[in-house]
Amino acid sequence: KTRQAPSALAATIREVLEDRDGRAQLVERAYGVVEERYTLERMVEATCALYEEVLRKPRLLVWKLSAPGDMVLISPSLRAIRRRYPEASISLVVSPSVRELVARCPYVDELLMFHPTRKDRTLPGKWRFARRLRRAAFDRSIDLQNSRLTHVLAWLADAPVRVGYARRWPWLLSRPVPMPPAPMSPVAHQAHLLAADGIALDSEQLEVWPSPEDERAAAALRRELGLRAEQPIVAISPGASARW
């Protein structure tokens, strides 16, 4: 079929060229379509509608690169950001090692992988990533990682609004938030940052978004351990950070 397509197209073109009356009717119908669908007024309306859609749908960039536990702990923040910006396109920058934890997050439209290869950890690799972000034209950067690197990348991405804690190179932020005066739990620590940008948490309830395969594996593990489906489980992590 693929080989016959060019010859069939050539035959149709030849037929149209040889049929003067049919060609005139075809041209007349085409003009009618153009005059109906592509008037100046309609084009202006479509352009204005596009601008209005862009204004309603800002592009947000959220940073959280490390640690499986951190991915779970930012779930209230992601939920709050989505509630504050329901129409926004939200991109989350993560490392590949934690991608699966947020792959099905309903509050995020796009995952951006940073440090996927050793080559990208170099200065040229970081510059390429920053240029990629700059081309995406993000309107707002919310830094839940709060490292010098993420502050620099957000600045290079040229996001007009850059929110983060003012503990590392705050001059790179457009909205530096002072550090809390006293130690706080991880979720409260994020809530303090978001509140300074007008974003409020609805609760500190954590979320995970397992796949069907994950659910089946968890059910199998419960059966193996003799645990009832409704039985609570307490996990202990001896190596957790003393700070948190």
Side-chain angles (χ1 to χ4, degrees), residues 105-169:
C105 174
Y107 312 122
V108 173
D109 298 291
E110 178 187 32
L111 294 180
L112 299 177
M113 298 296 107
F114 186 61
H115 284 178
T117 65
R118 180 172 296 181
K119 183 179 180 180
D120 289 336
R121 295 187 184 99
T122 63
L123 188 59
K126 294 171 183 174
W127 174 244
R128 283 194 297 271
F129 186 73
R131 284 194 299 174
R132 175 186 172 189
L133 298 180
R134 193 183 186 94
R135 287 194 297 269
F138 288 99
D139 301 292
R140 188 180 225 88
S141 168
I142 301 176
D143 197 336
L144 299 179
Q145 186 71 29
N146 284 293
S147 67
R148 291 188 182 91
L149 175 60
T150 52
H151 286 357
V152 168
L153 289 174
W155 180 75
L156 290 173
D158 199 29
V161 179
R162 301 180 301 281
V163 184
Y165 273 125
R167 66 188 184 115
R168 293 195 174 105
W169 295 2

Side-chain angles (χ1 to χ4, degrees), residues 72-85 106-107 187-188 190-192 194-195 198-207 209:
V72 178
L73 289 168
I74 69 168
S75 57
S77 296
L78 296 177
R79 188 170 62 242
I81 293 169
R82 171 54 72 192
R83 191 177 67 255
R84 173 66 178 81
Y85 297 100
Y107 312 122
V187 176
Q190 297 166 28
H192 182 78
L194 295 178
I199 303 172
L201 266 61
D202 58 353
S203 74
E204 293 194 1
Q205 179 68 41
L206 303 180
E207 294 184 57
W209 306 279

Side-chain angles (χ1 to χ4, degrees), residues 33-104:
V33 170
V34 170
E35 290 175 349
E36 178 185 353
R37 297 184 182 179
Y38 302 103
T39 64
L40 178 60
E41 291 78 8
R42 294 194 67 172
M43 295 301 292
V44 170
E45 290 175 1
T47 302
C48 291
L50 177 61
Y51 287 152
E52 289 173 359
E53 180 182 356
V54 171
L55 289 173
R56 288 195 308 269
K57 193 171 184 178
R59 293 182 57 80
L60 271 63
L61 186 62
V62 182
W63 301 82
K64 196 62 178 176
L65 300 178
S66 62
D70 287 348
M71 288 298 110
V72 178
L73 289 168
I74 69 168
S75 57
S77 296
L78 296 177
R79 188 170 62 242
I81 293 169
R82 171 54 72 192
R83 191 177 67 255
R84 173 66 178 81
Y85 297 100
E87 300 295 328
S89 173
I90 301 177
S91 299
L92 176 63
V93 184
V94 299
S95 63
S97 62
V98 295
R99 176 178 185 173
E100 279 300 308
L101 279 168
V102 285
R104 288 163 292 278

